[in-house]
Amino acid sequence: MKKNVFALFVNLYLTFFVTGQSAINHPLGELSNSGSETIAYKGSRNYKFTERSDLRVYQNGRYVGLQSKIVSAFIIPTWTDKGLVYEGDFYVDQDTNRNKSQVALGIHEAIPSSFIINSDGNLTMLVDNGYPSFRSFPAFTAKKIKKGDIWEAKAMRAVDPLSKGIITKMPIYVRYTYTGDDNYNGEPVYLITAEWATRYNMGGTTLYVDWGGDKELSAAQGSHKATIIVSKATGAALVIRDTVDETFIYKDGNKYQYKGTISLFTEYPPAIDRSRLIAALKKMDLLDDDEAEKLLQRPVAKDDAISAGKNPQEADSAAGKSWADNYDNDDSWEPVNTSEWVSGGNLEKDTKSKTDRLKKKIEEHQAKSAKVTAPISVDNTEAGIRLTIQNLQFKADSAELLPGEEKRLDQIAEILKLADGAQFLIEGHTASTGYEAGEMKLSKERADSIAAALAKRGIGSERFICKGSGSKKPIAPNNTTEGKALNRRVEITILD
């Protein structure tokens, strides 16, 4: 990602706004093109997803302002026992005003999301907090297609028109047309159009009501027309531009009409310069030579191998990993589940071997984290290089840092400044106290506190995504003082 991500996004948006080009919402699809025009979804690597809404808002026919809303996320695909799962932390920047002044940016609060997408484009939410707002869209027919062909598919939208924090789900029925070919930024692409009508609780065959949604929303109606661009080389969905005109009717009699565009972008950010980061980490004595070598490349995504026709075990082998390594790298502290392993030999023997390796790895992690000489530990994850700060000194039950942490924060700021254009996920963790709600709140507040401290050291606050995980991701047992100390930590991932 470049230095000014927001400016880049605005330039992209204006390009599509002026030219009328647009494209697809999900970057998860790839076209399977063996001399045919058959479209199917496959896995994808890490990507940044952005949805921007620029809508004129009318209340009971009177114009009340322009709603500008940007929803972004860094999505990481990971193979699990459920298959390829996409996990991300969405964040929202929003403003409603009477002019086109820039939406103010600041430290972002993470909204977790997790979902699965099948080969036909059908999306199943695993962790649903309202995002992504388009589900099972776009969807492709399994038949071979030619220019002019039309197909239809069901999808779902999650909406919150008045930004009340209450998500309402609406089924939609989309009509797709393959309209031709073109070039986008020098890359051959397919052009597809999509049309659908908003029909929520409108009577007749549209009596669907989301009883878990906004109970004050009585009905909705309107129209959408979108133009889609899909890469011929990879099948990746690049951008979508949806022209919107829809009205939401509430039980108090108010009607809110939204007219304008929703544009969705997918970016595959260039890899950060790891050599610069590694040199700085070694200079600070946070890495030895062996550890530095392992950080030169981020872990190879297994779906790259799977997309080439390999099964999960073969993909792990291609990445230089064993199937059990997935569990060695798991952040959760749970009993080993042998049913999730695929074994090519004696199950009992393999289980004992993998359990022993897991135990040894945890012991090594505990020993390393306990070293006074390593106040910041560094490891490689599928999301990027992760810096873990353990035993940060906060006031008791508070997010206020105590004096004495300046040196570690200075070191981290120095490292992060070398990651040009990257975003940073800051995740707070606590030991288990038996009060889950309090743990989640405190861990999020401490993540925010670290972000604010780093922003004061010259890093743009808009580059931080903050989340709290409470005690949900322990790296050690919580029944010892040492274990609790290890679990009280803040992790900063340089998203790559």
Side-chain angles (χ1 to χ4, degrees):
M1 287 181 280
K2 296 181 175 62
K3 288 184 177 180
N4 193 334
V5 176
F6 182 76
L8 174 63
F9 173 81
V10 171
N11 288 336
L12 279 170
Y13 171 73
L14 290 174
T15 298
F16 285 104
F17 183 82
V18 172
T19 64
Q21 296 185 56
S22 64
I24 225 162
N25 145 321
H26 276 294
L28 310 176
E30 293 187 359
L31 294 177
S32 177
N33 255 340
S34 301
S36 67
E37 304 294 347
T38 303
I39 307 174
Y41 280 117
K42 294 185 180 179
S44 177
R45 63 186 178 92
N46 296 357
Y47 64 91
K48 182 179 179 181
F49 170 75
T50 305
E51 173 185 327
R52 173 161 184 157
S53 302
D54 286 282
L55 303 170
R56 300 184 303 279
V57 184
Y58 300 83
Q59 181 178 359
N60 301 323
R62 182 175 62 88
Y63 175 70
V64 294
L66 176 70
Q67 184 185 86
S68 295
K69 182 177 181 180
I70 301 175
V71 178
S72 301
F74 195 91
I75 308 294
I76 303 160
T78 304
W79 276 94
T80 72
D81 60 307
K82 296 181 178 66
L84 188 61
V85 173
Y86 296 85
E87 296 184 334
D89 293 296
F90 284 77
Y91 56 92
V92 181
D93 291 303
Q94 180 169 322
D95 190 23
T96 300
N97 48 55
R98 290 185 175 274
N99 55 49
K100 295 186 178 181
S101 63
Q102 180 175 314
V103 176
L105 299 177
I107 295 172
H108 303 112
E109 179 175 355
I111 304 170
S113 178
S114 178
F115 49 89
I116 295 172
I117 290 198
N118 297 332
S119 59
D120 61 359
N122 184 60
L123 184 147
T124 302
M125 296 299 301
L126 301 178
V127 176
D128 190 354
N129 290 301
Y131 301 102
S133 58
F134 288 85
R135 290 98 185 269
S136 302
F137 176 82
F140 296 133
T141 174
K143 298 179 180 179
K144 294 180 181 180
I145 61 171
K146 61 183 183 298
K147 294 177 186 177
D149 279 355
I150 296 171
W151 66 96
E152 296 182 352
K154 295 179 181 180
M156 182 75 73
R157 279 185 72 209
V159 301
D160 181 12
L162 300 183
S163 301
K164 297 164 66 175
I166 304 173
I167 302 298
T168 303
K169 300 181 183 68
M170 298 180 175
I172 57 176
Y173 299 87
V174 185
R175 179 184 176 93
Y176 299 95
T177 305
Y178 171 31
T179 59
D181 306 325
D182 208 330
N183 281 276
Y184 169 68
N185 287 342
E187 179 180 1
V189 295
Y190 296 97
L191 300 181
I192 300 171
T193 60
E195 296 184 61
W196 71 94
T198 303
R199 292 288 184 272
Y200 179 77
N201 198 28
M202 293 299 298
T205 59
T206 56
L207 283 173
Y208 174 88
V209 174
D210 178 9
W211 298 109
D214 187 351
K215 293 179 174 54
E216 297 303 312
L217 178 60
S218 295
Q221 61 182 344
S223 63
H224 292 254
K225 294 183 179 181
T227 307
I228 301 168
I229 299 174
V230 178
S231 166
K232 283 192 176 184
T234 65
L238 303 176
V239 188
I240 186 170
R241 186 169 184 267
D242 175 20
T243 301
V244 181
D245 183 353
E246 61 186 351
T247 300
F248 298 89
I249 305 165
Y250 286 81
K251 289 183 178 179
D252 61 6
N254 282 308
K255 296 182 179 181
Y256 296 88
Q257 184 180 19
Y258 296 82
K259 301 178 70 173
T261 58
I262 301 175
S263 302
L264 305 105
F265 301 86
T266 296
E267 296 178 82
Y268 295 94
I272 60 174
D273 186 349
R274 290 188 170 226
S275 60
R276 295 178 68 199
L277 293 173
I278 291 168
L281 291 164
K282 288 182 67 176
K283 185 177 180 181
M284 297 175 187
D285 293 325
L286 299 177
L287 289 179
D288 58 30
D289 290 339
D290 290 340
E291 292 168 330
E293 184 67 27
K294 292 177 181 178
L295 285 180
L296 281 174
Q297 300 290 333
R298 69 178 177 86
V300 177
K302 284 183 291 185
D303 57 301
D304 291 342
I306 290 172
S307 65
K310 297 184 175 72
N311 63 31
Q313 294 120 296
E314 291 173 329
D316 276 327
S317 177
K321 298 165 63 179
S322 72
W323 185 253
D325 284 337
N326 297 312
Y327 299 90
D328 292 350
N329 289 328
D330 195 347
D331 282 334
S332 62
W333 183 273
E334 297 177 350
V336 177
N337 184 354
T338 58
S339 67
E340 294 178 341
W341 285 335
V342 178
S343 174
N346 181 283
L347 178 60
E348 183 177 354
K349 182 179 178 181
D350 287 349
T351 299
K352 185 178 186 304
S353 173
K354 290 161 185 171
T355 304
D356 289 344
R357 288 205 307 274
L358 178 59
K359 182 178 179 181
K360 182 179 179 182
K361 190 158 189 175
I362 292 169
E363 289 173 346
E364 289 174 350
H365 179 83
Q366 291 174 337
K368 179 180 176 181
S369 298
K371 290 180 182 178
V372 178
T373 56
I376 303 170
S377 60
V378 185
D379 63 327
N380 216 1
T381 74
E382 290 182 352
I385 293 175
R386 181 171 60 192
L387 311 175
T388 300
I389 321 169
Q390 259 153 342
N391 202 27
L392 274 167
Q393 299 302 303
F394 291 94
K395 285 187 177 180
D397 299 320
S398 166
E400 184 180 345
L401 278 166
L402 291 171
E405 295 294 352
E406 289 80 6
K407 182 178 179 181
R408 282 200 285 184
L409 292 170
D410 289 344
Q411 285 182 313
I412 290 171
E414 184 178 338
I415 295 165
L416 299 187
K417 287 176 182 177
L418 298 176
D420 293 338
Q423 284 192 285
F424 312 114
L425 175 64
I426 303 183
E427 186 171 3
H429 303 270
T430 66
S432 178
T433 62
Y435 179 39
E436 185 174 315
E439 293 163 1
M440 291 294 290
K441 181 176 181 291
L442 182 60
S443 62
K444 170 61 169 59
E445 290 173 348
R446 287 182 172 178
D448 288 343
S449 179
I450 296 300
L454 293 170
K456 289 179 180 178
R457 287 164 168 78
I459 301 172
S461 60
E462 74 280 358
R463 298 173 68 185
F464 295 114
I465 307 169
C466 295
K467 67 185 294 186
S469 292
S471 61
K472 291 181 176 293
K473 298 181 180 180
I475 58 173
N478 274 296
N479 56 4
T480 67
T481 301
E482 294 78 8
K484 288 182 177 179
L486 288 170
N487 291 331
R488 286 191 292 267
R489 66 198 191 279
V490 173
E491 297 171 342
I492 304 174
T493 303
I494 302 169
L495 296 173
D496 184 12

